[in-house]
Amino acid sequence: MENKKPFILISNDDGYQAKGINSLVDMIRDMADILVCAPESGRSGMACAFSANEPLVLVPQKQEEGLEVWSCNGTPVDCVKLALEELCKERRPQMVIGGINHGDNASVNTHYSGTMGVTLEGCMKYIPSVAFSLCTHDWFADFEPLRPYIRKIVRKVLDDGLPKGICLNVNFPVVDHFQGVRVCRMASGTWDNEVVKCRHPRGYDYWWMVGRYNNDEPEAEDTDNWALRHGYVAITPTKIDITSYEMIEQMKNWDL
């Protein structure tokens, strides 16, 4: 790859053939040399999981000027780790991007998301990292309205970087026209009805993981859920350090 442009590593949890990741490549290909290393198929819900007991395989899928695409049989985090160790030996990425995800990664979904796993892994390697998600699971979703926002965010991060230990979680609502951008916090939310029990014809039970998300503070206007519900692009700065510093102070008074 040419070294004149910035270098960006992209991965996802929907697989290298997903429309979202290919739309992202098209949106920013003129801005950087791009390396895609993504799962061979869908790996949603993998969060920061990595493969400790299975061998991993990298398969080259495409090589063009300024673009390489590889698939991997592992998790999204596996893809980032492998790419940085094996495919980026001569050049370190200036940025890691997860997405564009097919589905909402706001609120507590952050903790389950393989797209955020990509972004958190990049952030833990001290590389400026951003996750992009569109709030629909439609495989044929229209990602084109996201283009100007994604290009602006990518350009800003390439130019100015991000503070150590902080990445960005960017979610887009499905609307005809975005109301603007809101920088906001993660909403408090919970999942219920998370399993459906079924009976197999051979006489045993099995379960599907499903669930229904509940926004536990629907009127809080400073949250990502509120922003998305009102047609805004929601950007949530997300920290690697999950320490509760307030609790540290309280626990100093514990009689232990």
Side-chain angles (χ1 to χ4, degrees), residues 96-99 105 115-116 119 129-133 167-171:
V96 171
I97 302 178
N105 279 324
T115 304
M116 280 302 295
T119 307
S129 301
V130 180
F132 294 115
S133 302
C167 56
L168 301 182
N169 182 15
V170 184
N171 285 273

Side-chain angles (χ1 to χ4, degrees), residues 28 31 146-158:
I28 64 171
M31 301 172 65
L146 285 57
R147 181 184 293 267
Y149 295 90
I150 286 178
R151 288 180 62 86
K152 287 180 182 179
I153 293 168
V154 170
R155 174 50 59 198
K156 180 66 174 176
V157 173
L158 284 174

Side-chain angles (χ1 to χ4, degrees), residues 34-249:
I34 293 173
L35 171 64
V36 173
C37 186
E40 62 187 5
S41 59
R43 300 288 192 274
S44 293
M46 286 290 181
C48 289
F50 65 93
S51 299
N53 300 306
E54 298 291 335
L56 299 174
V57 178
L58 282 171
V59 179
Q61 298 292 342
K62 182 186 295 186
Q63 184 164 3
E64 301 174 356
E65 183 177 354
L67 173 65
E68 288 185 20
V69 179
W70 294 74
S71 66
C72 173
N73 61 325
T75 70
V77 165
D78 289 334
C79 293
V80 177
K81 289 181 179 293
L82 268 175
L84 292 175
E85 289 286 335
E86 297 297 324
L87 305 177
C88 300
K89 291 182 176 180
E90 298 181 0
R91 193 176 179 195
R92 184 174 176 82
Q94 276 88 11
M95 188 174 179
V96 171
I97 302 178
I100 303 168
N101 186 63
H102 294 248
D104 180 343
N105 279 324
S107 185
V108 293
N109 295 340
T110 300
H111 296 293
Y112 302 109
S113 166
T115 304
M116 280 302 295
V118 167
T119 307
L120 292 166
E121 182 66 24
C123 189
M124 287 188 280
K125 295 291 194 293
Y126 307 127
I127 302 172
S129 301
V130 180
F132 294 115
S133 302
L134 178 63
C135 297
T136 176
H137 293 285
D138 181 0
W139 191 254
F140 303 102
D142 181 11
F143 293 92
E144 191 58 29
L146 285 57
R147 181 184 293 267
Y149 295 90
I150 286 178
R151 288 180 62 86
K152 287 180 182 179
I153 293 168
V154 170
R155 174 50 59 198
K156 180 66 174 176
V157 173
L158 284 174
D159 288 346
D160 298 342
L162 289 169
K164 180 180 176 181
I166 295 177
C167 56
L168 301 182
N169 182 15
V170 184
N171 285 273
F172 293 86
V174 180
V175 293
D176 293 332
H177 174 72
F178 297 122
Q179 296 299 312
V181 176
R182 290 180 72 104
V183 179
C184 43
R185 67 176 174 87
M186 177 193 298
S188 295
T190 51
W191 283 86
D192 61 21
N193 296 324
E194 294 189 84
V195 296
V196 172
K197 184 177 180 179
C198 304
R199 188 69 176 174
H200 196 278
R202 295 185 177 177
Y204 59 86
D205 294 330
Y206 65 96
W207 290 262
W208 285 104
M209 297 297 296
V210 285
R212 178 183 61 194
Y213 173 76
N214 299 293
N215 182 358
D216 294 334
E217 45 178 352
E219 302 308 317
E221 297 185 9
D222 60 340
T223 70
D224 50 9
N225 279 168
W226 189 96
L228 293 167
R229 195 169 74 249
H230 289 83
Y232 290 91
V233 179
I235 303 180
T236 303
T238 303
K239 297 178 68 174
I240 296 296
D241 183 356
I242 58 174
T243 305
S244 173
Y245 291 95
E246 299 85 353
M247 195 62 187
I248 288 177
E249 294 305 312

